[in-house]
Amino acid sequence: MGMFTEQLQLIETLNPIYNALTTVFDVPDDATGPLAGALFSVKANIDVARTATTHGLKSLTGNMKTADAPIVARLRAAGATPVGHANMPTLNARGMHTCSDLAGHTVNPWDASKSPGGSSGGDAVAVATGMVRFGIGNDSGGSLRLPAFLNGVCALKPSYGRYPQGAVFGQADPSFPTQVMTVEGPLARTVADLRLVHDLLCGADPADPRVVPVPASGPPAPRMAGFVPGDPVVEEAAKRLVDAGYEVEPVEAPRVDEAAELSLRMIATPIALGYEQFAAFAGEEVALNARHLLKVRPALDLAEFLAVTATRLAVQREWARLLDRWPVLVGPVSTIPSYEPDQDRRSPEALAGYFEATKLCEATSFAGLPAVAVPTGLRDGLPTGVQVISRMYREDLALDAAAVLETALSPAVSAG
């Protein structure tokens, strides 16, 4: 009997219900290394050797890859085994709900009438249901943190330049907005597993010159935290940090509205420049979301784009000053606790409402800051949670605070 037999049987039982994995790989009978026995999922836009990177499209099922993406290779070298590609919104562009042209809708295990979020929703559901120990996804404005929040699991969005990146589509290298805002990172059921994976993924790689060769953890910092006031879940988290010995104060996060809007307008700019070609390839279902995006967050012209590159540095400087005073900041992942599948696609106004709800995710992606999404409990039968933001390349400080706030959650999964 192979070491993965029991886990594969669980996937065989649960995946038809929750539709988290689009493809299940053949796995070896054994593995060695510190993560031997750990199965992990990989978002469908990240390469795994000898499998197809589909980006959620049926037409890309022949897009076979010969090598692992850098972070998949690092986890495999540590003994972990990739077991399948996880579902995602088609081309990472269909919306905030995980549904793909290739596999259809992924189901939230807490409530099938609610969305599991996106875009790393397949990984979040695979982790929440116990199909995998951890998942690997990506985040340019909440795509790790939002599905972690909605499914009651943990996620780490690392700093810009922290791990070597591999996800790209349609060109040899990503455009500037993707280069500076999109990062790959882990989802797991525990903060301890996030930390374990984080330690393995850090380190320079000649394939990605953006990676900063700094240690996975830094020197001790004062146990001080700011929090964004006004959200009851965040304020309860702040009290728990006080009980754990942190000095805690309400703070105003710098330039959140401006940074959130500019992050999305940066993303919208290459979409607008190639919209006709994009729409013809992606199809109407994806193009609808692109049109909504361009209406509420219009593309930048050249002068505006150049100005944003300067504004980004100013925003980073203000965040650096804040986090020099308060090494971590606790805030909401989303001010909307849940939503129905495809609710964000109903109109441009609906999409704008969800951008408003997740604006702290967008702003921190714009600034390149690390953040840990962590579950804190249940409300009306659905998970609650917060994100802990920390200084550049000090993911360890966010993980320390998140470990204090962590509440283990497990949905009552079944085979129907």
Side-chain angles (χ1 to χ4, degrees):
M1 188 174 185
M3 69 187 302
F4 300 119
T5 299
E6 192 172 319
Q7 197 70 23
L8 291 171
Q9 287 173 344
L10 182 65
I11 291 171
E12 185 177 357
T13 298
L14 295 181
N15 196 52
I17 306 301
Y18 299 105
N19 200 31
L21 303 177
T22 63
T23 307
V24 177
F25 308 146
D26 292 330
V27 298
D29 289 334
D30 54 17
T32 59
L35 283 178
L39 294 179
F40 68 99
S41 60
V42 182
K43 191 174 178 179
N45 64 354
I46 299 174
D47 293 350
V48 177
R50 299 177 297 281
T51 70
T53 303
T54 65
H55 300 265
L57 274 173
K58 292 177 183 176
S59 61
L60 291 178
T61 54
N63 186 30
M64 303 297 291
K65 299 299 177 179
T66 59
D68 291 329
I71 64 172
V72 174
R74 288 186 176 182
L75 292 173
R76 201 193 291 269
T81 300
V83 71
H85 268 132
N87 202 21
M88 58 180 277
T90 308
L91 289 175
N92 239 14
R94 184 186 177 277
M96 298 174 68
H97 167 65
T98 293
C99 177
S100 68
D101 166 69
L102 176 65
H105 296 267
T106 294
V107 176
N108 185 318
W110 292 92
D111 184 338
S113 72
K114 304 296 184 183
S115 175
S119 60
S120 303
D123 290 285
V125 172
V127 170
T129 55
M131 286 189 264
V132 297
R133 182 170 170 183
F134 51 89
I136 297 296
N138 32 55
D139 188 315
S140 59
S143 289
L144 286 163
R145 290 164 285 173
L146 179 63
F149 167 71
L150 294 173
N151 292 282
V153 300
C154 306
L156 169 58
K157 185 204 89 69
S159 307
Y160 164 78
R162 188 41 133 158
Y163 311 151
Q165 303 296 297
V168 65
F169 176 70
Q171 56 196 95
D173 287 301
S175 65
F176 181 78
T178 302
Q179 286 182 37
V180 298
M181 288 190 291
T182 301
V183 295
E184 293 164 5
L187 302 101
R189 284 190 293 280
T190 67
V191 172
D193 269 357
L194 286 185
R195 192 186 299 272
L196 178 62
V197 174
H198 169 68
D199 290 350
L200 291 168
L201 294 182
C202 291
D205 189 317
D208 187 349
R210 294 170 294 176
V211 179
V212 178
V214 294
S217 298
R223 288 172 69 84
M224 302 171 67
F227 73 94
V228 178
D231 185 307
V233 174
V234 172
E235 294 185 352
E236 177 58 31
K239 293 176 184 177
R240 288 162 67 176
L241 287 176
V242 171
D243 293 341
Y246 280 75
E247 179 184 340
V248 179
E249 293 287 344
V251 302
E252 182 178 352
R255 300 173 73 166
V256 170
D257 290 327
E258 178 186 15
E261 178 175 347
L262 291 176
S263 73
L264 290 163
R265 293 190 68 190
M266 284 181 69
I267 290 169
T269 299
I271 294 174
L273 289 173
Y275 176 78
E276 296 300 331
Q277 182 180 4
F278 170 79
F281 177 77
E284 174 56 27
E285 192 174 62
V286 175
L288 171 67
N289 192 69
R291 290 198 299 275
H292 288 174
L293 169 65
L294 293 171
K295 184 169 184 179
V296 299
R297 296 292 185 269
L300 301 161
D301 64 25
L302 178 58
E304 290 171 326
F305 195 94
L306 290 174
V308 166
T309 62
T311 300
R312 180 173 177 269
L313 181 61
V315 169
Q316 289 178 307
R317 184 181 298 111
E318 292 191 35
W319 273 97
R321 288 171 176 160
L322 174 70
L323 293 168
D324 186 58
R325 174 73 176 86
W326 305 100
V328 295
L329 174 70
V330 181
V333 174
S334 171
T335 55
I336 298 173
S338 66
Y339 55 95
E340 297 173 6
D342 286 343
Q343 190 171 333
D344 60 300
R345 288 170 48 84
R346 294 175 183 172
S347 68
E349 293 74 22
L351 182 60
Y354 287 90
F355 288 157
E356 174 67 20
T358 59
K359 64 185 180 183
L360 189 60
C361 290
E362 297 146 20
T364 47
S365 288
F366 185 74
L369 296 167
V372 175
V374 60
T376 57
L378 292 174
R379 179 174 54 194
D380 299 326
L382 295 174
T384 61
V386 298
Q387 62 176 315
V388 184
I389 301 156
S390 54
R391 303 169 179 176
M392 290 284 284
Y393 312 115
R394 291 306 308 268
E395 290 84 358
D396 58 309
L397 300 179
L399 290 164
D400 290 343
V404 171
L405 301 175
E406 178 179 16
T407 299
L409 300 178
S410 181
V413 297
S414 72

